[in-house]
Amino acid sequence: MSLHSIFGEEEQSLYKVKTHAKGPIGALPLTAQMLEDSPSGDLFGLTQNVGMGWEPKDLLGKQVLILGTKGGIRDYDGSPIALGYHTGHWEVDLLMIEAAKEIRERNGVPFAGFVSDPCDGRSQGTLGMFDSFPFRNDAAIVYRRLIRSLPTRRAVIGVATCDKGLPAMMIALAGMHDLPTVIVPGGVTLPPTVGEDAGKIQTIGARFANKEISLKEAAELGCVACATPGGGCQFLGTAATAQVVAEALGLAITHSALAPSGQPIWAEMARQSARAVLEMEKSKTTTKDIITDKAIENAMVVHAAFGGSTNLLLHIPAIAHAAKCKIPTVEDWVRINKKTPRLVSVLPNGPDNHPTVRVFLAGGVPEVMLHLRKLGLLHEDVLTVTGNTLGENLYWWEHSERRAQIRKRLIDADGIHPDEVIMNPIKARERGLTSTVTFPTGNIAPEGSVIKSTSIDPSRVGEDGVYRHTGVAKIFTSEKSAIKAIKTGGIVAGDIMVVMGGGPSGTGMEETYQLTSALKYLPFGKYVSLITDARFSGVSTGACIGHVGPEALGGGPIGKLRDGDVIEIIVDCYELTGSVNFVGTKDARVSIEEATKILTIREPHPDLKPHQDLPDDTRLWAALQAVSGGTWRGSVYDTDRIIEVLEAGMKAMEKEKEQV
């Protein structure tokens, strides 16, 4: 490298540097009272606004902050100049533009800020996954700081789409108790006309290694999977589930979740949301009026009815914590899932793997809520960002032209009747749809665990609705070694895979879709069970038990298992009860009571340790969330609790110094 290679032959025009400029034309609309009473920051803000090109005469409109997860740089024609991390944030700026235009037309003053987000799909199996879950807390903090750093804002619109960006945005806005806020879900991408969805396509490596597909097939299928450039993935993973939850909370307008990115109905949603937040400001409706204990419960009910991602068990409690609402417990999740039928046939749960755009066309969240209302499962009196109660929104939806036309479009476009995608409870039961999640406990998971029981392969569930698997454990202390075993024949039908050390302290509670997706799409995979203290992608299916607590590095019994141990798994998909127990070794079976005693005195696995590349940022996150109640409280930062523990630690250290 040389200076010449960097600077080259520069154009002479570069050197004609201006040293002053005339400045904007006009005068600030100041009054004597403003000059006498306003903070200097408010006044200087007006100067900066005209400096950016805003007309002085329009300065005094209501200021609305639009926050987005925009990533990448698109040219004016939409072509990429610099890529984003994922399609989910690639077109978010278009929604922000539509919202800003609407605010301007109504004499408001829009501001915009961006905090981009990572892609769990892109970081699967890489060190990038160690930053995925902790990013959510970081982003929520930055969003809140950005909101507070614009003191003159009167309302906030959050535009977000995917796995961490949207939960972070909801957590941030939930903490803005005295401001009007609205979420604009960023929408979904379309599936290819011919090809595979973005969930299945993530298994081309494992399928090729097992000679299930050719190199040519892998290359061609991988090319077409993201059929349109914007929006979250086509399946009901964490991204799509988070959009559904935003609407179910009442924080997004009716029928906004899962809109197809880039299309007119998607853009119109942003304008409608802008109108909603301005009306909220006018009527003095704020976030604390929207996110209440009842709204949180509605979101949990809708999550269950959709068969949503287990990652929302981490995000909904965090939203409740930010909103100062009651934080859901495992008992709350069990209660709600027991009484709420799953009604949606969608990727990845089935029985028919409809993409998310079909769920939108079948009526989306409000259509599901019509069925839930008849069952008496919703709090219809909660207020929403439309300015109406949920009950009033549903009455409008049921009789709306929008509902009639959008459902008809699904029939015309794909030949699919809407009632085949969103079913009534009787039809759903006839099709074999079971409730969403079960929380197995046992001597491996004394604090509990999670399995999306509705997504266990039906052929592996008995006629009584119970999944049973007793098998010999194969132990892995890293996801890398586990996926290698799958690719190289180290895993066979009947195995129980145990992946330990994937909790917050080991990897930042990594997502292990690389494993679950491979098991789903390999012929022997449905005969394999997986147990881990890590978490799963929202698109994961199968007999996969995650969130095992305590985590291995927190002294959990899962960290004491060995190759050759025998494990018994029982999951009742109807009653939503389950157990996961060590019951001895293949040479010496014992009772559960005796096995529990054995685990108690066993040493941790000799290879168990935090990943050597775990970032310090993530280590700090893991410690703070553990002090705050851990994953079952949403991995939040409980400031009072953290300060209490720090102060106690400092006092203890001072006492030790005095004794030396």
Side-chain angles (χ1 to χ4, degrees), residues 546-565:
H547 300 213
V548 169
E551 65 171 309
L553 286 163
I558 186 175
K560 299 181 178 183
L561 297 174
R562 301 288 192 274
D563 283 322
D565 285 345

Side-chain angles (χ1 to χ4, degrees), residues 338-625:
K338 277 188 174 182
K339 70 180 182 180
T340 306
R342 180 164 73 90
L343 303 176
V344 184
S345 181
V346 62
L347 277 165
N349 303 329
D352 298 314
N353 287 324
H354 297 295
T356 43
V357 67
R358 286 184 181 169
V359 179
F360 177 78
L361 290 173
V365 172
E367 193 68 24
V368 172
M369 282 183 154
L370 289 181
H371 295 298
L372 297 173
R373 180 180 64 173
K374 291 177 182 177
L375 296 173
L377 296 178
L378 295 174
H379 299 287
E380 295 183 58
D381 58 339
V382 296
L383 189 63
T384 73
V385 295
T386 66
N388 297 298
T389 65
L390 174 61
E392 291 167 337
N393 289 347
L394 293 180
Y395 180 84
W396 167 80
W397 171 256
E398 187 172 18
H399 301 90
S400 69
E401 176 72 7
R402 182 186 180 102
R403 179 187 183 224
Q405 290 294 331
I406 212 74
R407 284 165 57 85
K408 180 178 181 297
R409 178 58 187 163
L410 180 56
I411 298 172
D412 295 342
D414 287 2
I416 301 293
H417 196 282
D419 294 342
E420 295 294 327
V421 181
I422 297 174
M423 308 177 196
N424 64 47
I426 295 174
K427 186 170 187 176
R429 189 162 51 249
E430 291 173 350
R431 292 295 309 276
L433 276 69
T434 56
S435 295
T436 300
V437 291
T438 301
F439 298 87
T441 57
N443 61 22
I444 294 175
E447 288 183 358
S449 61
V450 175
I451 181 171
K452 191 193 281 189
S453 46
T454 197
S455 290
I456 300 175
D457 190 295
S459 68
R460 301 287 293 130
V461 178
E463 291 184 2
D464 57 355
V466 179
Y467 173 81
R468 298 177 176 87
H469 185 186
T470 299
V472 177
K474 289 184 177 176
I475 307 300
F476 304 92
T477 56
S478 72
E479 190 205 24
K480 184 177 181 179
S481 60
I483 191 63
K484 183 178 180 180
I486 291 174
K487 288 184 174 182
T488 57
I491 299 298
V492 297
D495 285 343
I496 294 181
M497 297 182 68
V498 177
V499 182
M500 60 176 68
S505 300
T507 65
M509 203 175 188
E510 65 185 333
E511 185 180 279
T512 56
Y513 183 60
Q514 189 178 202
L515 304 178
T516 59
S517 62
L519 292 175
K520 176 176 180 177
Y521 291 107
L522 293 175
F524 62 84
K526 67 180 180 179
Y527 301 103
V528 176
S529 296
L530 173 63
I531 303 170
T532 181
D533 51 0
R535 60 190 177 88
F536 300 127
S537 166
V539 73
S540 293
T541 59
C544 306
I545 298 173
H547 300 213
V548 169
E551 65 171 309
L553 286 163
I558 186 175
K560 299 181 178 183
L561 297 174
R562 301 288 192 274
D563 283 322
D565 285 345
V566 175
I567 295 174
E568 177 191 72
I569 300 171
I570 301 173
V571 178
D572 190 323
C573 301
Y574 294 157
E575 296 299 320
L576 301 188
T577 58
S579 60
V580 51
N581 284 299
F582 160 70
V583 291
T585 66
K586 57 184 177 182
D587 299 321
R589 293 283 296 274
V590 296
S591 68
I592 291 176
E593 292 76 15
E594 185 63 28
T596 303
K597 293 177 182 178
I598 293 172
L599 279 183
T600 301
I601 62 175
R602 259 193 195 176
E603 292 295 316
H605 194 286
D607 297 332
L608 177 65
K609 57 186 177 183
H611 196 284
Q612 62 182 8
D613 295 313
L614 188 67
D616 286 345
D617 302 323
T618 300
R619 291 176 56 217
L620 179 60
W621 164 85
L624 293 176
Q625 66 86 37

Side-chain angles (χ1 to χ4, degrees), residues 167-249:
M169 188 72 77
M170 286 193 282
I171 292 166
L173 297 195
M176 296 295 108
H177 310 130
D178 298 319
L179 276 175
T181 65
V182 169
I183 287 285
V184 181
V188 300
T189 190
L190 298 184
T193 304
V194 178
E196 297 178 350
D197 68 87
K200 186 174 183 179
I201 210 63
Q202 293 180 52
T203 68
I204 53 177
R207 285 187 286 155
F208 175 78
N210 281 268
K211 297 180 172 55
E212 294 291 318
I213 59 173
S214 68
L215 176 61
K216 181 175 183 291
E217 288 172 322
E220 291 177 350
L221 290 169
C223 186
V224 300
C226 294
T228 51
C233 294
Q234 308 106 329
F235 47 79
L236 191 74
T238 305
T241 307
Q243 294 186 43
V244 165
V245 164
E247 186 175 336
L249 282 168

